[in-house]
């Protein structure tokens, strides 16, 4: 709701009434919440209490009240209409429409007289002097000849103001018109009651969001404002404030295991325990499913603040008991300090979150610093510059060949994105892919560019020879879920005149798939074009059999981290053998990724992997080098892969 100081409205109305102080925010919230009045309010007129409880007095002219005065002017053809609030000493024009007739003093006197009547108070000809006090008659020259008003009451029946009509000529006001004015006043009262309900709700929600852990989440706006207020208070007291972001990293898994109801009860106990065991903790609120922000006061150095935050994190990981269940949350934390790291709520909470995102998972609480700020600025630059870089060709693709283990023949090429930025320099995919993947625009720009490149390659190879290896592109699960993705594929294939049978879409196993049926339908629409689906990095993450049994997968790519450990760790070799057996049981072919040594290659061949991709045979190549390789393949019918000399 828009707020305006009382002085502003007095000036606008031209009132000579004395200004009165407004209640502070705490008292307004107390009154609005519906609790008993503070002692200093009990001596005031009951109407003042109603104005305060409904939060109307500090709420100046608004469009939603102007609509009533405009409506009244149209219905009654009145030159001036108004809605006025008043108590024993003060007045407030909620809305005025039309010419200002007469003096404010005269209008106030007439409106106050209207407040004494149950039915509309009407003076059809003011020159007759009917019902007008001597004060009103002795006012400066007036041009009000007609006046009609209906008192406005709060839901308790107390008069808090009126809605009034004025004209500069006398006029009759028939019973039907009086009834209509009464109905209009009832509509305004309904608006007042709605205002009171909203004020009470706002006060109650603010109270609950600050203190009741049973709520699903606190709004970011309330958290920002609360942290900013606490920072101001700490600054006035000469104390430091530690602002932390705390993540319960295993909360999602716990919710799946025990259900959201039990977990919410555990969080209630958990938050109570944090408050009871940390005297310096002055605020904590839930920002997201597993993220919490809070603050504590401390004295001394930043190191002291970090130690206190680490103690808080340790308490957060203590065992919690509920309904004979016992378990512990896994907590990680990021910290920033007021005033060293900022003074606004948005900046302080944001920097605590940045510290958390940039923490080393083997360390204690991560503290915000200049290096984190630098990384944040670079990440922001990556987001901003990526899509233009795709358009101007700064983002391009190399291709890494894939060979058959049986005869060393080239069978496919995986497209790998590269980015050479004129300002940022060479940007690794390991850096920019995690940044753009959550963003719809950059993510779609990358996959569209990869798809366009793949179809262009296929079309060129189709035109030059009969030999056309397949081209694979990486696509995130989020992109595959988008309804227009298959349309993008079909349009790109048609534009280049390429065949879909030469495309493979790689879905990473680490993509979280919550709806297998929907994903299966999306993938089947792709396979209708002739394309195949590969499951990338298998063995690196969830290793769910559902990926293989419920999705139309044709190829499984054994994760390079598993491959690169099979000649060193026995368990890695057992895992690889299990994956190969699982895939072959579903009639799926296997590509061993990241093969860098002959020993690794011999092992994956012995396991039965059909294909190999890795530095041992070929590194990612430029477009020219790749096209030359394809040309040799077409001319010689087969290109045998020869292992490169291994580095000592």
């Amino acid at each position: 709701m828009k707020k305006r100081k009382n002085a502003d409205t007095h000036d606008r109305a031209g009132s000579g009434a004395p200004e009165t102080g407004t209640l502070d925010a705490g008292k307004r919230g107390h009154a609005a919440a519906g609790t008993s009045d503070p002692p200093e309010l009990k001596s005031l007129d009951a109407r003042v209490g109603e104005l305060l409880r409904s939060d109307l007095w500090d709420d100046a002219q608004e469009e939603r009240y102007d609509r009533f005065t405009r409506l009244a002017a149209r219905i009654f053809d009145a030159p001036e209409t108004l809605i006025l609030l008043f108590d024993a000493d003060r007045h407030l024009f909620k809305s005025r429409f039309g010419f200002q007739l007469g003096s404010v003093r005269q209008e106030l006197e007439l409106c106050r007289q209207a407040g004494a009547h149950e039915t509309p108070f009407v003076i059809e000809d003011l020159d007759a002097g009917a019902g007008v006090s001597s004060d009103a008659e002795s006012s400066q020259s007036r041009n009000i000849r007609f006046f009609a008003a209906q008192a406005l009451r709060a839901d308790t029946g107390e008069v808090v103001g009126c809605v009034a009509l004025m004209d500069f000529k006398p006029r009759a006001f028939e019973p039907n018109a009086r009834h209509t004015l009464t109905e209009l006043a009832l509509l305004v009262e309904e608006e007042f009651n709605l205002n009171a309900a909203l004020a009470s709700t706002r006060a109650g929600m603010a109270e609950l969001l600050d203190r009741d852990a049973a709520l699903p989440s606190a709004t970011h706006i309330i958290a920002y404002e609360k942290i900013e207020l606490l920072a101001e208070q700490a600054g006035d007291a000469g104390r430091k404030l530690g602002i932390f972001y705390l993540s319960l990293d295993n909360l999602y898994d716990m919710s799946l295991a025990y259900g959201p109801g039990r977990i919410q009860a555990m969080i209630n106990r958990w938050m109570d325990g944090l408050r009871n065991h940390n005297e310096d903790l002055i605020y904590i609120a839930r920002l997201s499913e597993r993220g919490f922000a809070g603050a504590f006061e401390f004295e001394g150095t930043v190191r002291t603040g970090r130690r206190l935050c680490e103690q808080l994190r340790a308490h957060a990981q203590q065992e919690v008991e509920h309904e004979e269940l016992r378990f512990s949350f896994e907590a990680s934390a990021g910290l920033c300090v007021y005033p060293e790291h900022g003074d606004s709520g948005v900046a302080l909470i944001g920097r605590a979150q940045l510290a958390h995102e940039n923490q080393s998972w083997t360390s204690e609480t991560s503290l915000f610093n200049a290096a984190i700020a630098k990384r944040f600025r670079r990440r922001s630059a990556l987001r901003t510059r990526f899509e233009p870089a795709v358009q101007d060709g700064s983002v391009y693709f190399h291709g890494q060949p894939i060979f058959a283990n049986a005869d060393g023949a080239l069978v496919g090429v995986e497209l790998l994105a590269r980015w050479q930025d004129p300002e940022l320099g060479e940007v690794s995919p390991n850096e920019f892919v995690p940044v753009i993947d959550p963003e719809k625009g950059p993510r779609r720009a990358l996959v569209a560019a990869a798809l366009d490149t793949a179809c262009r390659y296929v079309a060129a190879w189709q035109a030059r020879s009969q030999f056309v290896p397949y081209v694979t592109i990486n696509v995130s699960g989020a992109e595959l879920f988008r309804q227009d993705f298959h349309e993008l594929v079909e349009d790109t294939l048609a534009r280049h005149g390429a065949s879909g049978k030469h495309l493979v879409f790689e879905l990473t196993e680490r993509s979280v798939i919550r709806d297998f049926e929907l994903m299966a339908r999306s993938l089947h629409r792709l396979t209708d074009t002739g394309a195949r689906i590969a499951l990338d990095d298998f063995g690196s993450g969830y290793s769910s059999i559902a990926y293989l049994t419920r999705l139309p997968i044709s190829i499984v790519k054994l994760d390079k981290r598993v491959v690169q450990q099979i000649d060193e760790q026995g368990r890695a070799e057992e895992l690889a053998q299990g994956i190969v057996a699982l895939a072959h049981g579903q009639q799926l072919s296997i590509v061993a990724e990241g093969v860098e040594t002959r020993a690794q290659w011999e092992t994956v061949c012995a396991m039965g992997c059909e294909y190999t991709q890795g530095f041992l045979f070929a590194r990612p190549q430029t477009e020219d080098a790749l096209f030359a390789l394809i040309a040799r393949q077409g001319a010689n019918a087969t290109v045998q892969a020869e292992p490169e000399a291994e580095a000592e």
Side-chain angles (χ1 to χ4, degrees), residues 265-563:
M266 299 298 282
I267 290 176
N268 294 349
R269 288 178 174 267
W270 173 80
M271 292 183 76
D272 288 340
L274 284 184
R275 296 189 185 99
N276 294 336
H277 292 90
N278 295 272
E279 296 180 356
D280 296 312
L281 178 61
I282 57 177
Y283 177 69
I284 186 169
R286 192 173 184 180
L287 294 185
S288 62
E289 182 180 12
R290 66 179 188 181
F292 299 77
F296 57 86
E297 285 190 331
F298 70 96
E299 295 177 338
T301 65
V302 172
R303 181 176 296 180
T304 302
R306 185 174 184 178
R307 185 173 65 251
L308 288 174
C309 189
E310 187 58 26
Q311 292 174 2
L312 182 71
R313 189 177 73 92
H315 283 136
Q317 298 186 117
Q318 291 181 358
E319 189 175 67
V320 184
E321 181 179 359
H322 175 69
E323 294 181 351
E324 300 182 353
L325 293 177
R326 293 176 178 267
F327 63 84
S328 300
F329 289 119
E330 296 174 2
S332 54
L335 175 70
C336 74
V337 173
Y338 167 83
E340 282 84 346
H341 299 144
D343 55 9
S344 73
V346 173
L348 290 168
I349 291 179
R351 287 166 184 170
Q353 288 179 293
L354 283 176
H356 175 263
E357 290 175 10
N358 287 270
Q359 73 176 143
S360 169
W361 294 100
T362 59
S363 68
E364 299 177 344
T365 296
S366 177
L367 179 66
F368 181 80
N369 55 40
I372 291 175
K374 182 178 180 180
R375 285 195 292 272
F376 172 72
R377 290 192 295 270
R378 182 171 173 85
R379 286 167 63 95
S380 298
L382 294 179
R383 290 190 186 94
T384 303
R385 298 178 65 83
F386 185 80
E387 287 188 73
V390 173
Q391 299 299 324
D392 66 22
S394 297
V395 174
Y396 54 95
F397 297 90
H398 283 178
Q400 186 172 29
I402 302 171
F403 298 98
N405 288 329
D407 56 8
L410 176 68
V411 294
V413 174
E414 178 180 0
L415 290 186
L416 302 170
R418 299 290 184 262
W419 183 7
Q420 185 66 43
D421 190 87
E423 293 187 15
L424 302 175
E426 184 176 351
V427 186
S428 166
N430 291 334
E431 182 181 12
F432 70 76
V433 169
V435 172
I436 68 167
D437 194 58
E439 308 286 340
K440 287 185 179 180
R443 186 180 66 221
R444 170 53 65 90
L446 177 61
V447 73
L451 181 60
D452 185 78
T453 300
C455 291
R456 180 168 58 84
Y457 284 5
V458 168
W461 297 337
Q462 287 177 162
R464 296 181 185 183
S465 69
Q466 294 183 340
F467 171 68
V468 182
Y470 65 80
V471 183
T472 78
I473 62 174
N474 293 279
V475 184
S476 70
E479 198 64 26
L480 290 170
F481 270 118
R482 293 179 64 173
Q483 294 184 354
D484 63 342
F485 182 71
H486 77 284
E487 297 172 359
L488 173 66
V489 174
E490 291 177 345
D491 291 345
T492 308
L493 286 169
R495 187 172 69 253
H496 288 281
S499 171
K501 69 179 182 180
H502 300 300
L503 291 183
V504 174
F505 294 98
E506 293 192 10
L507 171 67
T508 175
E509 186 214 10
R510 287 169 289 187
S511 295
V512 177
I513 300 176
R514 300 181 186 272
D515 189 334
F516 276 92
E517 297 303 321
L518 179 59
M519 177 59 81
R521 289 197 297 271
S522 298
L523 295 182
H524 277 300
R525 296 184 74 178
L526 289 179
T527 58
D528 287 343
T529 67
R532 290 176 291 169
I533 309 299
L535 188 57
D536 194 19
D537 298 332
F538 200 83
S540 64
Y542 304 106
S543 298
S544 172
I545 297 177
Y547 285 79
L548 304 182
T549 59
R550 300 177 65 182
L551 300 177
I553 305 295
S554 299
I555 302 168
V556 172
K557 301 191 75 172
L558 185 60
D559 184 63
K560 66 180 181 180
R561 283 169 289 188
V562 176
V563 171

